[in-house]
């Protein structure tokens, strides 16, 4: 454990870099230690972070692996996080931390979302991004991943940020490494308060939820059980003064029980991105109205419905060879018009 004397030595060694001292602390101190030190410091805010043992990640070492580190003393540190009760002492990031003018909207929900819930999250993420909002989530399986994917499908640069419960060199779940890369390639950001090699400990995920809500103007829960971690995010959002919304589901569905409970507690009921934006007082731009697929893909698109259809049935209905239909379906899926499921292709809501 680091001691107060060690902190003083660090400050003497780097007298002009308060942020480096905080970075040092965030890697080695326990949360109670940091809380006590900062509470005793003149003019210090009640900011703290908890990390396990980690290598001495200096700014130079981080830069070599393409990772930035920001503390509340740094200009790049996201302004919304400065005003939550427990902002992270150090924020590790890849990508662009510049906050655009549009609102930050967190879309969270069940890791085992239903097919309908995933479609709703994807459509909402795409529409929010098209309207200029920044879609925030936790890169988890299920609703989180669908929300990120939808935002990326909008084609808007910097439309999605992911907040991890592990280090940036330890993406979890592993199958979302490609999704994280797509977020970065699109101009977004992947963020963590944990050092780069930190493992995804169970306790990290509820801790990081305060950052998802803290970065957002509103939190939307798409699907959640009564014991879902998404309800922790909703609670933290309320404590931070953020708006909380929930998408209703089928009566009696366990995966919607948490959303229904939130609505009974006063969360706003929303069914679309437009609902969210209007509840927050933003105008919905006509320019974001759904655009039809390219004319060359319309014969195949017209045969796909909300009910899954196998490729051979789509080819028969379109009057085209299976080979040609397969290529058109791939193009439609890349453009966000359809999605492949185990039973065939379905048309995505727009």
């Amino acid at each position: 454990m680091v001691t107060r004397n060690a902190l003083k030595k660090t400050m003497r060694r780097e007298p002009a870099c308060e942020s480096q001292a905080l970075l040092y602390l965030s890697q080695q101190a326990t949360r109670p230690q940091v809380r006590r030190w900062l509470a005793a410091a003149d003019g210090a805010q009640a900011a703290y972070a908890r990390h396990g043992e980690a290598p001495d990640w200096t700014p130079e070492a981080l830069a070599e692996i393409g990772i930035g580190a920001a503390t509340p003393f740094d200009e790049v540190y996201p302004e919304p996080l400065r005003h939550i009760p427990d902002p992270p002492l150090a924020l590790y990031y890849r990508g662009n931390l510049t906050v655009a003018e549009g609102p930050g909207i967190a879309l969270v929900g069940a890791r085992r979302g239903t097919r309908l819930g995933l479609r709703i999250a994807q459509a909402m993420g795409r529409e929010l991004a098209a309207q200029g909002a920044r879609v925030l989530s936790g890169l988890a399986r299920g609703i989180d991943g669908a929300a990120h994917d939808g935002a990326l499908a909008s084609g808007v640069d910097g439309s999605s940020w992911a907040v991890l419960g592990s280090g940036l060199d330890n993406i979890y779940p592993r199958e979302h490494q490609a999704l994280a890369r797509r977020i970065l390639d699109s101009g977004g950001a992947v963020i963590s308060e944990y050092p780069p090699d930190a493992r995804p400990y169970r306790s990290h995920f509820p801790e990081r939820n305060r950052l998802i809500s803290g970065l957002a103007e509103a939190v939307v829960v798409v699907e959640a059980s009564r014991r879902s971690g998404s309800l922790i995010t909703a609670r933290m959002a309320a404590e931070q003064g953020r708006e909380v919304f929930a998408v209703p589901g089928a009566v009696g569905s366990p995966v919607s029980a948490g959303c229904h409970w939130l609505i009974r507690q006063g969360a706003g009921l929303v069914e679309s991105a437009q609902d969210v934006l209007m509840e927050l007082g933003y105008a919905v731009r006509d320019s974001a109205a759904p655009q039809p697929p390219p004319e060359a893909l319309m014969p195949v698109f017209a045969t796909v419905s909300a009910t899954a259809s196998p490729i051979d049935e789509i080819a028969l209905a379109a009057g085209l060879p299976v080979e040609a239909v397969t290529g058109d379906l791939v193009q439609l899926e890349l453009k966000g018009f359809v999605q492949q499921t185990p039973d065939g292709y379905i048309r995505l809501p727009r």
Side-chain angles (χ1 to χ4, degrees):
M1 294 299 175
V2 82
T3 64
R4 181 182 289 269
N5 287 336
L7 173 61
K8 291 179 179 178
K9 290 178 181 178
T10 303
M11 295 292 285
R12 284 198 297 270
R13 189 167 63 247
E14 302 287 350
C17 297
E18 293 172 295
S19 61
Q20 282 200 2
L22 285 180
L23 181 60
Y24 174 78
L25 269 177
S26 71
Q27 293 162 11
Q28 302 192 35
T30 64
R31 178 167 286 189
Q33 278 182 307
V34 177
R35 184 192 293 117
R36 287 195 299 271
W37 288 337
L38 292 183
D42 292 336
Q45 296 181 357
Y48 56 87
R50 185 190 71 78
H51 298 307
E53 294 182 3
D56 188 10
W57 290 109
T58 64
E60 294 75 19
L62 291 168
E64 288 181 4
I65 57 175
I67 293 177
T71 74
F73 291 108
D74 299 321
E75 185 176 351
V76 71
Y77 193 89
E79 188 64 25
L81 290 185
R82 298 182 196 273
H83 307 292
I84 65 174
D86 48 358
L89 212 58
L91 196 65
Y92 301 88
Y93 65 94
R94 281 193 170 110
N96 181 15
L97 282 190
T98 302
V99 177
E101 292 183 1
I105 309 293
L107 295 182
V108 297
R111 284 175 169 78
R112 296 183 179 180
T114 66
R115 185 176 300 173
L116 176 61
L118 297 177
R119 284 163 51 193
I120 291 172
Q122 189 175 48
M124 193 173 287
R126 183 173 62 251
E127 185 68 18
L128 284 169
Q131 291 281 357
R134 185 176 65 263
V135 176
L136 303 150
S137 201
L139 204 74
R141 299 182 182 96
I143 298 300
D144 288 22
H148 289 303
D149 192 62
L152 295 173
S154 72
V156 177
D157 291 342
S159 61
S160 190
W161 284 18
V163 184
L164 305 184
S166 58
L168 296 179
D169 275 350
N170 219 346
I171 299 292
Y172 180 85
R174 291 191 178 277
E175 61 264 31
H176 280 181
Q177 289 180 350
L179 180 57
R181 174 49 55 190
R182 287 171 58 204
I183 291 172
L184 294 174
D185 289 344
S186 73
V190 180
I191 304 165
S192 176
E193 66 175 316
Y194 305 107
D197 59 348
R199 298 171 63 183
Y201 292 109
R202 184 184 297 271
S203 63
H204 288 179
F205 295 95
E207 284 182 357
R208 69 88 192 269
N209 289 352
R210 80 188 193 285
L211 306 187
I212 296 176
S213 57
L215 285 164
E217 186 170 331
V219 170
V220 182
V221 182
V222 177
E223 285 186 329
S225 68
R226 278 290 283 115
R227 296 177 61 86
S228 172
S230 300
L231 298 192
I232 297 176
T233 310
R235 175 176 59 80
M236 291 178 171
E239 292 173 353
Q240 293 165 348
R242 275 52 169 172
E243 295 291 335
V244 178
F245 301 109
V247 177
V251 174
S253 170
V255 80
S256 292
C259 293
H260 295 162
W261 181 84
L262 285 173
I263 293 169
R264 289 196 299 272
Q265 302 305 308
L269 188 156
V270 294
E271 297 177 313
S272 66
Q274 289 88 343
D275 290 346
V276 175
L277 293 171
M278 288 190 292
E279 287 285 343
L280 293 173
Y282 291 95
V284 178
R285 299 195 304 262
D286 292 337
S287 59
Q291 299 297 314
E295 187 175 349
L297 301 178
M298 280 302 296
V300 172
F301 178 70
T303 66
V304 183
S305 67
T307 303
S309 302
I311 291 180
D312 55 350
E313 290 184 9
I314 295 173
L316 183 63
L320 295 169
V322 171
E323 294 79 8
V325 168
T326 300
D328 287 357
L329 287 170
V330 170
Q331 291 299 314
L332 288 167
E333 186 168 21
L334 290 173
K335 295 178 182 296
F337 290 100
V338 304
Q339 179 178 325
Q340 187 177 19
T341 72
D343 300 321
Y345 282 85
I346 58 173
R347 182 180 297 196
L348 292 172
R350 296 190 66 77

